[in-house]
Amino acid sequence: KQEVTQIPAALSVPEGENLVLNCSFTDSAIYNLQWFRQDPGKGLTSLLLIQSSQREQTSGRLNASLDKSSGRSTLYIAASQPGDSATYLCAVPRGKLIFGQGTTLQVKP
Amino acid sequence: EPEVTQTPSHQVTQMGQEVILRCVPISNHLYFYWYRQILGQKVEFLVSFYNNEISEKSEIFDDQFSVERPDGSNFTLKIRSTKLEDSAMYFCASSEVGGGSGANVLTFGAGSRLTVL
């Protein structure tokens, strides 16, 4: 059974810091891994999708890496801004998407 | 950019009442999904739908729930007799391809918040 875990549950940093969010999964036989952003009371916005054959994906200040063998993915946010404050979710497909519980990020001005 | 549209954004209902949540998936997508998120908990899969039938459902999706694609554009989730524990944010999603394919990229709607009193 695939389980997805995210650490830490919450993170508060001053503006400008580089930070890393962690996602781990128990079954390394994944097709891809997706990172989402969720603003309070809002929907899920897809940030990055890494295929199983890839090691990383970049979009602007975001960089996601994938290490299937160790069952881990990280989301790196460079030069964080207050507008990055949100909950970040990772998910892997097993027919349906299986989500982690998310990391709630607060970036203080 | 194409998007998944959900209505209503927020619905308040009395316990025992029927609720229908509506979704308009992206027009060329063939696979449709409902997920829910109880406040403070993980996003959970409810059901997937393809070719006018349920392809997979979770244990949450019991006889109180049903899904329908009444026309070529809408995809609905019905809860027949709501319970307090049905209070959650319900997300609709759609994708071009389905299953465990690496190309299975879901686009989510903004969600419908259901509050059962």
Side-chain angles (χ1 to χ4, degrees):
Chain A
K1 181 185 174 186
Q2 178 70 276
E3 293 186 2
V4 181
T5 305
Q6 292 186 246
I7 295 173
L11 185 61
S12 180
V13 300
E15 182 177 4
E17 269 202 13
N18 302 323
L19 55 101
V20 174
L21 308 181
N22 297 291
C23 171
S24 61
F25 44 94
T26 54
D27 186 346
S28 62
I30 62 170
Y31 289 98
N32 59 55
L33 185 143
Q34 202 166 357
W35 283 93
F36 293 87
R37 171 183 171 137
Q38 184 179 28
D39 291 285
K42 303 292 185 183
L44 305 172
T45 301
S46 180
L47 296 173
L48 288 164
L49 179 139
I50 314 177
Q51 299 291 354
S52 61
S53 57
Q54 298 174 314
R55 292 195 64 85
E56 61 179 58
Q57 274 282 0
T58 298
S59 175
R61 294 182 293 108
L62 305 180
N63 177 276
S65 68
L66 176 63
D67 184 344
K68 279 182 57 178
S69 61
S70 65
R72 289 190 293 186
S73 175
T74 60
L75 180 67
Y76 175 83
I77 302 177
S80 58
Q81 302 171 355
D84 295 330
S85 298
T87 297
Y88 292 82
L89 303 168
C90 65
V92 296
R94 182 55 61 94
K96 65 254 185 194
L97 280 180
I98 299 173
F99 285 84
Q101 71 271 41
T103 294
T104 299
L105 172 66
Q106 182 185 34
V107 181
K108 298 177 181 177
Chain B
E1 188 169 328
E3 58 181 28
V4 175
T5 306
Q6 290 186 242
T7 55
S9 57
H10 188 194
Q11 181 156 356
V12 180
T13 190
Q14 295 291 324
M15 190 169 56
Q17 295 295 303
E18 176 182 285
V19 162
I20 297 176
L21 305 179
R22 292 182 168 80
C23 171
V24 178
I26 293 174
S27 61
N28 65 331
H29 285 185
L30 301 176
Y31 297 81
F32 314 114
Y33 312 84
W34 284 100
Y35 287 75
R36 80 171 186 188
Q37 185 180 34
I38 294 171
L39 188 63
Q41 297 187 21
K42 288 187 178 185
V43 177
E44 304 172 287
F45 169 77
L46 291 178
V47 65
S48 58
F49 190 86
Y50 169 71
N51 200 26
N52 281 319
E53 60 184 31
I54 291 173
S55 46
E56 186 177 0
K57 62 182 181 180
S58 71
E59 55 193 28
I60 303 169
F61 194 88
D62 61 22
D63 292 343
Q64 292 297 315
F65 291 89
S66 62
V67 289
E68 193 178 35
R69 189 156 161 83
D71 53 45
S73 59
N74 290 285
F75 179 51
T76 62
L77 174 68
K78 181 191 290 186
I79 309 174
R80 289 192 183 81
S81 178
T82 50
K83 303 188 281 277
L84 295 177
E85 54 265 37
D86 294 328
S87 295
M89 180 76 94
Y90 288 81
F91 294 107
C92 174
S94 67
S95 64
E96 278 187 82
V97 297
S101 159
N104 183 23
V105 180
L106 274 65
T107 301
F108 284 82
S112 292
R113 180 169 298 283
L114 176 64
T115 301
V116 182
L117 302 176

